[in-house]
């Protein structure tokens, strides 16, 4: 009796053990399937973008405070080795009045990056948008003089770039100072900076101040639509002037707010050839490829509604075009690796892109929402989908 009881117990024990083994192997298999389902055959899912490109250039992403916590932060640490604050270092947000600096968010981003050994690009020191309006008014509300404006710009740059000296390895010193029109004689944007300084001197000055603030930081001029032939030539003129003036410029940030058919391979190569022929480096600073295209002009005699296209979202057709555009761009970019020192995506995943609230970015570049400022239409422009999973475009970018 004793014996048969012991035998039954042993038998039961073995059954439980076998059952546990079966369950465990199921769990393992399901987990493995979940992980490998992200991958294409032959590609290691444990690697991030930064690892695939470790012999090329840092791979970066624009971040906000929201990206520093939770799921996005894990993704950032896994995939990227460079960050750019999306808004928190711009003049308006960081320096809202003469004696007030908002360091909180910028410091938090810098601390996050430093603690994860991630490089930091600073963005930006002088721009016509998100500006610090107080800068343009004199002590009694009158328009500021050129001298006072440059003095304020200097103080701003010495203070901001000085605070992060040694931590920010590259700065967008001047952002978007070139005119968008097809008029080739209009090289410079008629911004407050340009108008008050009565010319483009503020650009040279900003570079000199940034160099004084942090002599080791790499200094970039940053702009969009830099592959469009007319704008490309205007940017080239500006760069030649900066070099002739001995401004301490290291390179050009091509924002890379692109579309499914823009730029063409030829335009991309030409832009790279022209900038690098001046001895300058290139960073692609704000990459995204919207799936949205401007609507065709209405056929005459019909109303715009009659020709409007229904919004079908991220269809297999646009997906294929986006994959092809990303692949084309990265094939070329890798060929120019000796000149390219950073690629940064503008936002983390398709869950939320700055283009979504601007009609999906129909107008291209930073002018993205000019005709559709408050229209919400998703752009699906990045390498991670709305669930933060790697898209097929991701695999096209790392498959080389
Ligand atoms: C955008 C941010 O992504 C938005 O959150 C903000 O509302 C407007 O600015 N060119 C630039 C970036 O240089 O600073 C812009 O960022 C996008 C276009």
């Amino acid at each position: 009796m004793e014996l048969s009881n012991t035998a039954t117990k042993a038998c039961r024990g073995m059954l439980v053990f076998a059952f546990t083994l079966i369950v465990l192997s199921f769990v393992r298999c399901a987990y493995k399937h979940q992980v490998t389902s992200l991958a294409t055959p032959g590609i290691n899912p444990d690697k991030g973008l930064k690892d695939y490109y470790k012999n090329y250039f840092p791979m970066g992403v624009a971040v906000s405070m929201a990206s520093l916590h939770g799921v996005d932060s894990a993704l950032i640490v896994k995939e990227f080795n460079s960050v750019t604050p999306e808004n928190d270092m711009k003049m308006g947000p960081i320096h809202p009045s003469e004696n007030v600096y908002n360091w909180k968010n910028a410091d938090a981003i810098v601390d996050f990056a430093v603690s994860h050994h991630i490089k930091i690009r600073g963005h930006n020191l002088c721009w016509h948008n998100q500006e610090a309006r107080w800068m343009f008014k004199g002590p009694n509300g009158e328009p500021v003089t050129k001298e006072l404006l440059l003095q304020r710009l200097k103080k701003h740059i010495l203070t901001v770039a000085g605070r992060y000296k040694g931590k920010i390895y590259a700065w967008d010193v001047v952002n978007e100072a070139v005119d968008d029109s097809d008029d080739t004689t209009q090289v410079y944007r008629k911004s407050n900076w340009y108008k008050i300084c009565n010319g483009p001197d503020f650009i040279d000055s900003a570079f000199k101040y940034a160099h004084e603030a942090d002599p080791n930081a790499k200094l970039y001029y940053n702009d969009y639509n830099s592959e469009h032939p007319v704008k490309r030539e205007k940017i080239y003129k500006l760069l030649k002037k900066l070099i002739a003036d001995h401004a301490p410029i290291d390179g050009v940030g091509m924002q890379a707010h692109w579309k499914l058919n823009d730029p063409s391979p030829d335009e991309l190569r030409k832009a790279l050839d022209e900038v690098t022929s001046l001895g300058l480096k290139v960073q692609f600073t704000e990459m995204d490829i919207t799936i949205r295209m401007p609507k065709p002009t209405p056929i005459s005699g019909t109303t715009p509604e009659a020709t409007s296209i229904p919004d079908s979202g991220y269809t297999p057709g646009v997906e294929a075009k986006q994959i092809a555009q990303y692949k084309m761009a990265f094939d070329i970019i890798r060929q120019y690796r000796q000149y390219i020192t950073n690629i940064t995506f503008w936002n983390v995943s398709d869950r939320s892109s700055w283009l979504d609230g601007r009609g999906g970015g129909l107008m291209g570049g930073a002018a993205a929402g000019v005709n559709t400022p408050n229209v919400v239409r998703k752009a699906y422009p990045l390498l991670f989908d709305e669930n933060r999973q790697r898209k097929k475009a991701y695999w096209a970018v790392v498959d080389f």
Side-chain angles (χ1 to χ4, degrees), residues 86-87 90 123 130 175-176 255 286 346 354 358 366:
E86 181 180 5
N87 289 300
K90 292 171 181 172
H123 177 81
Q130 292 175 279
N175 204 29
E176 305 176 354
Q255 290 186 6
E286 305 182 16
W346 207 246
W354 73 290
R358 292 175 169 77

Side-chain angles (χ1 to χ4, degrees), residues 37-112:
S37 68
L38 292 172
T40 27
I43 290 182
N44 178 353
D46 296 330
K47 284 166 72 173
L49 278 174
K50 63 177 177 7
D51 306 308
Y52 291 104
Y53 278 89
K54 75 170 188 300
N55 297 326
Y56 288 80
F57 24 71
M59 292 294 252
V61 62
V63 294
S64 62
M65 289 300 279
S67 351
L68 304 188
H69 308 284
V71 204
D72 269 350
S73 85
L75 187 152
I76 290 167
V77 171
K78 172 160 190 177
E79 300 282 351
F80 298 101
N81 52 3
S82 172
V83 292
T84 306
E86 181 180 5
N87 289 300
D88 292 309
M89 287 186 187
K90 292 171 181 172
M91 198 182 268
I94 209 169
H95 194 178
S97 57
E98 187 152 19
N99 298 311
V100 177
Y101 289 89
N102 285 329
W103 299 120
K104 198 166 158 267
N105 294 1
D107 281 0
I109 292 172
V110 169
D111 291 347
F112 169 86

Side-chain angles (χ1 to χ4, degrees), residues 334-382:
R334 282 192 305 274
Q335 288 164 15
Y336 284 79
R337 64 197 276 185
Q338 68 187 109
Y339 306 109
I340 294 174
T341 52
N342 187 297
I343 312 280
T344 291
F345 291 86
W346 207 246
N347 298 130
V348 179
S349 75
D350 287 352
R351 180 170 283 249
S352 165
S353 151
W354 73 290
L355 296 169
D356 295 346
R358 292 175 169 77
L362 296 188
M363 299 304 289
V370 166
N371 290 346
T372 47
N374 302 311
V375 178
V376 178
R377 197 187 285 112
K378 286 193 72 67
Y380 304 100
L382 298 161

Side-chain angles (χ1 to χ4, degrees), residues 1-13:
M1 189 67 178
E2 274 273 297
L3 199 70
S4 84
N5 245 350
T6 320
T8 320
K9 268 189 198 157
C11 222
R12 224 186 264 146

Side-chain angles (χ1 to χ4, degrees), residues 127-128 174-191 194-195 200 202-203 221-239 366-367:
W127 191 24
H128 68 280
V174 177
N175 204 29
E176 305 176 354
V178 165
D179 172 78
D180 270 333
S181 75
D182 281 338
D183 179 350
T184 50
T185 63
Q186 295 283 337
V187 174
Y188 300 102
R189 181 187 294 279
K190 300 290 174 287
S191 64
Y194 184 92
K195 286 191 235 158
F202 70 97
I203 306 176
Y221 171 72
N222 194 45
D223 215 328
Y224 60 95
N225 290 349
S226 44
E227 308 79 19
H228 290 184
V230 175
K231 191 143 180 200
R232 187 184 77 212
E233 291 315 313
K234 294 185 189 185
I235 293 175
Y236 187 63
K237 278 190 189 147
L238 161 62
L239 298 174

